[in-house]
Amino acid sequence: MHGGEPKEDCHGAVTAPIFQTSTFFFPTEDPISWQGKVPEGSYIYTRWGNPTVAAVEAKMASLENAQSSVVFSSGMAAISSTLLALLKKGDRLLSIEDLYGGTFSLMRDELPRLGVEVRAVSTTDIGEMERELGKGAAAVYLESPTNPLLKLVDLKAVAEMAHSAGAKVIIDSTFATPINQTPIDLGVDVVIHSATKYLNGHSDLIAGTVAGSKADMELVLKKRILFGGSLDPMGAFLLMRGMKTLDIRMERHNRNGLAVAKFLEQHEKVERVYHPGLASHPQHALAVRQMRGFGGMVSFEVAGGRNGAEKLLRSVQLIKRATSLGGVDSLVSMPLNSSHSSLTPGDRERLGIKDSLVRLSVGIEDTQDIMDDLNHGLSQI
Ligand SMILES: Cc1ncc(COP(=O)(O)O)c(C=O)c1O
C-alpha cells in the first residue's frame, strides 16, 4: 500500500500529488548552460518522466519484487515497447500460442515485418518449449493465466530452461496481479501488466506497466521516450489510487471468482468451466504451487452454442455486457467478437475458443447477487 507514496518532503502531502505539467524548469543553478544530462531525481519533460508517474513506478516495482518499473499509457504500449527494447532484427522469439488478441496480432503481423521470427509453442506442453529453446531463442513470451481459457505455464520450469538456453523470459501477468503471483520470484525476467485491468481496478483508465531489472528497464524506458507511450500525470494519479486497494479488491475477486466458478460447474446449462481454482482444472496443482489466489476471471461454455451464449448475454441484468476485465463491476463478453475477434475462426478453433464460450470478469458485488443474475440468464437458454 505504501510503496512509492511520498515521505514528508512533498510539502507534507499524504498522497502523491498530481504534477500536471508537461515540462519543468531546467534542474541546474544556471539553466542557460544546462548540458542536457538529467540529474538523478530531476525531471525535464513529462514524456521522459514525471514525479506522479515515478511514484506509480516505485509502487509497481515494490509489488513485483523488481528492481525497477516503467509505466505506459496502455497495456499494448507496454508490451510493444518491451518487445522492441529486448529484441532486434534476426532474433527468434518463442511465444505461447494462447495470447490476448492484441498481442497475438502484434506477434503475427508486426514483429515478423521487423525481422523478428516468432515461433508459437504450445502453452501447456513444456517439452515443445524445451525442444524449441534448443534451436535458439532471444526471448520467451508468456501469459499465465491466459486470456480467455485460463491455461497456466509452469513459470519456474520455463525460466530455468530459458535461462540455460540464454533466453530472457517475459510474462504478461495481467490476469494474476502481483497479489496472486510474483513471477520474478519464480525466475521470470520481465513482468508486464495491462494496468487498465485489476491494478487500476475501476474500469476508468487505460495504462500499462513493465517491471524487471534496472538494466532491462533502462532499455524499456528508452523505447517509451522514443515511441511515446507515456502515461499522463492524471492517469498516473488514478492508477496510484486504484493500486492502494489492490490487495483487498483481490481478496474479494478471488473469493467471488471461485464461488461463481463452482456455481457454474454444477449448472445444467453450463457444459464446461475454466478457472484455475477449480479442482477440475487440468493444472490445478500447478496453480496451487505458483499462485496465492486464483483471481476473478471465469470462462465457461454454455449449452446451445453461440445462440446460447448470446441469450445469456442478452438476459443478464446486474452483470454488464462489455469487454475488458479486472474492475469492481462484473463484466461479461464473448471472446469470439471481443478480445479474440482478430483471430481467424480456424485459429480460435485450434486454441479451443468455442463460439459458446463466455468470459466473465467477476466483480466485487455481493456473491449471491452475481449468481442469481447468472442463474436468471442461464434459465433463458
Ligand atoms: C491479458 C491482456 N494483456 C494486455 C491487454 C492490452 O491492454 P490495454 O488494453 O491496456 O492496452 C489486455 C487487454 O484486454 C489483456 O487482456
Side-chain angles (χ1 to χ4, degrees), residues 74-76 79 100 143 147 172 174-175 194 196-197 206-207 325:
S74 72
M76 283 312 295
I79 294 167
Y100 163 62
E143 268 182 38
N147 185 355
D172 178 338
T174 299
F175 271 40
S194 165
T196 309
K197 312 292 168 15
I206 300 283
L325 60 108

Side-chain angles (χ1 to χ4, degrees), residues 255-299:
R255 186 151 38 93
N256 275 358
L258 190 56
V260 167
K262 285 184 176 163
F263 160 77
L264 288 169
E265 200 167 39
Q266 54 73 46
H267 201 286
E268 57 177 7
K269 296 287 172 59
V270 175
E271 293 181 343
R272 184 161 176 193
V273 184
Y274 301 85
H275 182 72
L278 290 175
S280 60
H281 188 286
Q283 297 169 294
H284 180 60
L286 173 62
V288 171
R289 208 160 66 235
Q290 76 181 13
M291 300 180 79
R292 292 178 286 266
F294 308 114
M297 294 306 298
V298 182
S299 294

Side-chain angles (χ1 to χ4, degrees), residues 80-261:
S80 54
S81 299
T82 301
L83 292 172
L84 290 169
L86 301 179
L87 295 167
K88 61 181 187 317
K89 190 175 170 184
D91 278 346
R92 186 161 183 264
L93 174 70
L94 298 184
S95 153
I96 56 162
E97 55 188 2
D98 293 83
L99 292 173
Y100 163 62
T103 313
F104 187 94
S105 301
L106 189 68
M107 303 280 181
R108 182 190 60 195
D109 305 333
E110 300 300 323
L111 291 183
R113 216 163 55 82
L114 302 174
V116 174
E117 182 195 336
V118 182
R119 174 81 165 90
V121 296
S122 158
T123 304
T124 51
D125 176 3
I126 206 153
E128 188 184 354
M129 176 73 83
E130 191 163 29
R131 283 192 297 282
E132 289 300 326
L133 276 166
K135 298 178 198 163
V140 171
Y141 189 91
L142 311 171
E143 268 182 38
S144 185
T146 62
N147 185 355
L149 290 175
L150 299 139
K151 297 180 194 172
L152 305 186
V153 178
D154 186 333
L155 301 183
K156 196 161 183 280
V158 169
E160 274 166 19
M161 272 182 209
H163 289 160
S164 40
K168 265 194 205 304
V169 183
I170 306 164
I171 187 174
D172 178 338
S173 193
T174 299
F175 271 40
T177 80
I179 301 302
N180 285 341
Q181 154 179 301
T182 32
I184 288 176
D185 295 342
L186 301 169
V188 169
D189 299 288
V190 178
V191 183
I192 300 178
H193 288 275
S194 165
T196 309
K197 312 292 168 15
Y198 286 110
L199 292 179
N200 177 60
H202 295 76
S203 302
D204 56 9
L205 173 75
I206 300 283
T209 65
V210 187
S213 71
K214 204 161 181 298
D216 283 342
M217 292 309 100
E218 273 169 17
L219 298 175
V220 170
L221 177 61
K222 262 191 198 157
K223 294 296 179 264
R224 182 181 79 188
I225 293 170
L226 290 179
F227 291 102
S230 310
L231 185 63
D232 67 291
M234 182 67 193
F237 164 78
L238 286 171
L239 179 52
M240 188 82 169
R241 185 157 91 157
M243 283 166 72
K244 283 190 209 185
T245 56
L246 179 64
D247 187 44
I248 57 164
R249 282 188 284 107
M250 288 318 295
E251 227 176 88
R252 183 65 166 254
H253 282 298
N254 287 344
R255 186 151 38 93
N256 275 358
L258 190 56
V260 167

